[in-house]
Structures are given as structure tokens and as C-alpha cells.
Amino acid sequence: MEIIFDGLRRLSGNEYMFSKNTNLSHSHLSVPNTINDVPPCIAQLLDNEESWDFNIFELEAVTNKRPLVYLGLKVFGRFGVPEFLNCSEATLRAWLQMIEANYHSSNAYHNSTHAADVLHATAFFLGKERVKGSLDHLDEVAALIAATIHDVDHPGRTNSFLCNAGSELAVLYNDTAVLESHHTALAFQLTVKDSKCNIFKNIDRNHYRTLRQAIIDMVLATEMTKHFEHVNKFVNSINKPMASEETSSDCEYAANMKNFPDNQTLIKRMMIKCADVANPCRPLELCIEWAGRISEEYFAQTDEEKRQGLPVVMPVFDRNTCSIPKSQISFIDYFITDMFDAWNAFAHLPVLMQHLANNYKHWKMLDELKCKSLRLPSENNN
Ligand code: AMP
Ligand code: ZN
């Protein structure tokens, strides 16, 4: 464990871990006017949106890489977001379009499909009995908005890269939570700038301030340098008291949470953090695709660092030498297992835990066979 502290400066948790723990068709699609107006093939896919095994890559393919607008319309509708915000579906659609347009489709991983995936996971978690019972409608709305915007305008480079390169964003945010600060600030700027897409224009000042605070808190919680702090607080303030509380039912326990806004905040942080890195808990084929995408984005960063003579912040992610199975095993061991054990103890997520165990076995099997790629050569179908 000493490696967690050894030499950790501004690096995000996983960069640090990786640097030390070495060992379709795209026909033109117009945007729908209403949720009832989406092309049948998209509507059909979205019918399965409430399932954890929903295939976001199929949605990416049939929507010409605009899954966020379509999934957003459906999910926000299901959770009564337009009613809560007192905004029309046209405003919501314009907002989703504007946010999606500000994700970089050129990023291998941090594009609008990742945002849609995090939105999907967040909506799934909000449907779990204990989560639903613990939160207010405002929290649900804030969580869905936070998931949607949480990586907007991500440049496909990490915080450390931006700091090392002396980028404008790093200077603007004093090398502190650079990307997370940017995602939140930009999303609010873009939203209120144009009344056509201002989903907040009809809510009163106090409501807006509370909602805005909740959204900011959640997006900032996705920063990985604070990972262990957030997980520990959740375990100590939510899981432990819950385990000792034998008398009250789940339902009573959850309802009681509504009297403790600080605990609601910890639940919301944990929820978006888990949604953000839920890809190792997806069905194997989806998990493999995500691992390929994040690896490619990291490889591209390492390439650029070498080209520009910048420090290589994640030497493990060198496309010439990387073992993807090893990198996934490290990521799961370091960040995923404990966090999802804690989240599962609260939210009860047997399907995710089963996928996680299965996916972990896949990476272990490849590593034992000294295979460095995403799957066995015999299974390569692309
Ligand atoms: P975000 O940038 O908001 O998506 O934060 C999540 C962090 O976890 C990012 O630094 C991702 O690069 C990292 N991450 C997510 N999934 C994986 C994965 N399968 N392997 C390695 N890192 C991951
Ligand atoms: Zn993310």
C-alpha cells in the first residue's frame, strides 16, 4: 500500500497506479422532434433501456454517434425531469443536443457514448429500492444532469497531461481538478447562455441554487484523486451504521435518510462515481470494448507525450508494450472491487457483481496465458 503515497503529487489515482503498478452504417439522421418521433430501430433498442445489459454501442451505431440525445430524452422523460424543471421537451432536446455536440467524437473513450453509458448506469442505480427511497426528486434530477454533463469537452488527455503541458485549462484552474472543474463550468455556461437550451430558465432562484450545488458536487466527485476519501466516507457513514441497524426495515432506513442531507450527498457522490467506472461490471463483450477504448485513448496520450518530450505519466500505457489484461486487473484490484462491494451492500446489485467476477476471470485467464490483448487470438473476430 505504500505505493499509494509514494511520489503521489498531482497525478490522478489511476495514472499513479498505472505508472507504479507495472508488473454501421452512418446514414444521416435528423434529431427527433419528440420522444414519440424517433426512428423505429432506435425506439426498439431503447425499449430495453432499463436493463443493466442494455447495449450502448448498438445505440451509438444506430444514432450515428449521438446516443446521448436519444437515451437522454427517454430517461429524463421516465424520471419526470421536464415536469420538475417546468421546461418543454423542445428545450430539453435542444439542451441534450448542445451538450452532446460538445463531447469530442474523436476521443476513443471520453466521447458522448461514455456520457450516455454513465447516464444509463445512473438511471439504473436510481431505480434500486434503497437508492430511490433515500433520495428526493431534486437529487434524481441533479444526478441525471450531472451524469450527462460530467465529461463534456473532455480533450482525451488526463489532468496530469494538461498540467505538465501548461495548458490554458490547467492555468485557469490552478492545476486542481482541472477537467472536472471545466466540465461543470462549461456545462453551466453553455446552458444559461442561450434561452433555447436553458433547461433551468423556469425554476425559481432557490431551487436553481440547490440543484446547481448538487450537480457541481457530483461532477467534482468524479475526480479520482479523491477516490478513497469518497469511498471511505460512504462506508463509514452509510454502510456501517446500516449494518448495525438491525431493527428497522430497508424501507424505513432509506426513508430516514431524507432527514440527513449530508448522507444523501455521500450517496449521490458514490452513485456517480460507480456509474462513471461501471464498465468492468458490464457484460463481458461491453467490458472488453470499453477496455479497448480507454487503452487507445491512453496510448494516444503516451504517443503525444513522447512526441512533445513531456513526462510520460502512464508508462504502462505504451502501445508497444502494454498488457491490457494486466492494466484491467490492476484497475479492478485498486479501484473497483472495494468500491462496488460497498455500493452493492447498499444498493443490492447482484447482476453487476456477477459480471465483475466473470470479467475479472477473463483478464486473469488472458494474463496467465501471457496474452496482452483484449481477447485470445482465436477469438479475434475483428
Ligand atoms: P472520468 O474521466 O470521469 O471518466 O473518470 C473515470 C476514470 O477512470 C478516468 O480516469 C478513466 O480513464 C478511468 N477508467 C474508467 N474505466 C477504466 C478502465 N476500464 N480501465 C482503466 N481506467 C479506467
Ligand atoms: Zn467519465
Side-chain angles (χ1 to χ4, degrees):
M1 275 298 126
E2 79 278 4
I3 60 170
I4 291 176
F5 304 104
D6 172 32
L8 177 61
R9 275 185 223 84
R10 290 192 302 259
L11 303 185
S12 80
N14 55 336
E15 284 165 6
Y16 174 75
M17 183 258 313
F18 289 132
S19 59
K20 296 286 172 182
N21 201 13
T22 310
N23 328 319
L24 288 157
S25 116
H26 294 303
S27 60
H28 176 74
L29 280 165
S30 58
V31 172
N33 287 324
T34 77
I35 187 66
N36 303 318
D37 195 31
V38 307
C41 62
I42 298 178
Q44 216 167 34
L45 269 183
L46 286 172
D47 279 344
N48 193 33
E49 157 268 315
E50 291 187 50
S51 158
W52 180 255
D53 296 353
F54 177 73
N55 191 331
I56 199 81
F57 301 114
E58 283 180 9
L59 186 66
E60 178 191 68
V62 299
T63 59
N64 196 14
K65 300 195 179 175
R66 282 181 293 179
L68 191 55
V69 169
Y70 292 91
L71 184 68
L73 277 175
K74 178 99 194 252
V75 167
F76 278 51
R78 181 154 69 84
F79 282 89
V81 178
E83 291 83 355
F84 182 87
L85 296 174
N86 188 22
C87 87
S88 67
E89 204 186 272
T91 307
L92 175 61
R93 186 176 3 104
W95 180 79
L96 286 164
Q97 261 179 276
M98 177 278 290
I99 295 293
E100 182 149 43
N102 281 278
Y103 277 91
H104 300 198
S105 57
S106 52
N107 290 342
Y109 180 90
H110 285 105
N111 49 47
S112 74
T113 307
H114 167 61
D117 185 52
V118 176
L119 174 62
H120 177 267
T122 303
F124 182 84
F125 294 153
L126 286 172
K128 297 283 119 185
E129 208 59 55
R130 268 228 189 96
V131 180
K132 203 189 338 205
S134 306
L135 301 178
D136 297 309
H137 196 196
L138 181 141
D139 300 309
E140 295 179 357
V141 172
L144 297 171
I145 294 172
T148 304
I149 66 165
H150 89 282
D151 273 330
V152 71
D153 197 39
H154 197 295
R157 297 290 179 264
T158 63
N159 278 332
S160 303
F161 177 97
L162 299 177
C163 294
N164 288 332
S167 73
E168 269 182 40
L169 282 181
V171 174
L172 180 63
Y173 293 110
N174 302 312
D175 295 352
T176 310
V178 174
L179 283 168
E180 295 74 16
S181 303
H182 176 60
H183 304 316
T184 333
L186 180 71
F188 277 98
Q189 271 169 17
L190 293 170
T191 302
V192 301
K193 185 169 90 179
D194 180 356
S195 155
K196 272 207 304 294
C197 64
N198 187 356
I199 53 173
F200 304 125
K201 66 186 167 199
N202 293 331
I203 55 172
D204 71 48
R205 194 175 192 80
N206 285 335
H207 242 110
Y208 176 65
R209 289 184 64 85
T210 313
L211 189 61
R212 173 171 154 77
Q213 187 48 53
I215 295 166
I216 294 171
D217 187 85
M218 272 183 269
V219 179
L220 293 184
T222 63
E223 196 214 336
M224 293 300 277
T225 55
K226 297 244 175 76
H227 172 83
F228 295 102
E229 186 185 321
H230 292 314
V231 176
N232 288 337
K233 280 188 184 166
F234 181 84
V235 169
N236 288 325
S237 301
I238 309 292
N239 281 356
K240 285 183 183 167
M242 191 177 65
S244 63
E245 186 101 8
E246 282 160 12
T247 45
S248 71
S249 70
D250 274 11
C251 198
E252 283 165 347
Y253 181 84
N256 192 32
M257 211 49 92
K258 295 198 176 177
N259 300 323
F260 296 96
D262 291 352
N263 284 347
Q264 290 179 313
T265 298
L266 298 182
I267 293 167
K268 284 182 283 178
R269 286 180 188 160
M270 186 73 163
M271 177 168 62
I272 195 165
K273 279 185 60 53
C274 289
D276 197 16
V277 295
N279 65 77
C281 303
R282 294 290 189 181
L284 181 61
E285 273 314 305
L286 305 185
C287 161
I288 290 174
E289 176 65 23
W290 288 120
R293 290 183 179 207
I294 192 72
S295 303
E296 179 48 43
E297 194 167 298
Y298 284 161
F299 293 159
Q301 174 167 314
T302 301
D303 292 342
E304 190 179 347
E305 287 165 336
K306 287 189 187 173
R307 260 195 326 268
Q308 296 197 8
L310 290 166
V312 174
V313 294
M314 297 177 286
V316 162
F317 281 95
D318 185 315
R319 65 173 78 248
N320 306 308
T321 52
C322 183
S323 161
I324 294 177
K326 271 195 209 304
S327 75
Q328 290 305 302
I329 291 165
S330 305
F331 182 66
I332 293 170
D333 284 343
Y334 243 80
F335 295 108
I336 300 302
T337 305
D338 288 353
M339 180 167 71
F340 275 91
D341 277 346
W343 184 232
N344 174 48
F346 178 73
H348 191 58
L349 306 158
V351 174
L352 280 77
M353 300 314 278
Q354 190 54 57
H355 284 311
L356 178 58
N358 186 39
N359 297 336
Y360 192 77
K361 259 198 264 166
H362 170 81
W363 300 124
K364 279 282 189 198
M365 177 271 295
L366 290 179
D367 188 38
E368 270 152 31
L369 296 171
K370 306 217 179 325
C371 173
K372 291 180 162 190
S373 60
L374 292 166
R375 39 171 79 82
L376 287 172
S378 58
E379 291 169 345
N380 268 331
N381 49 9
N382 47 4

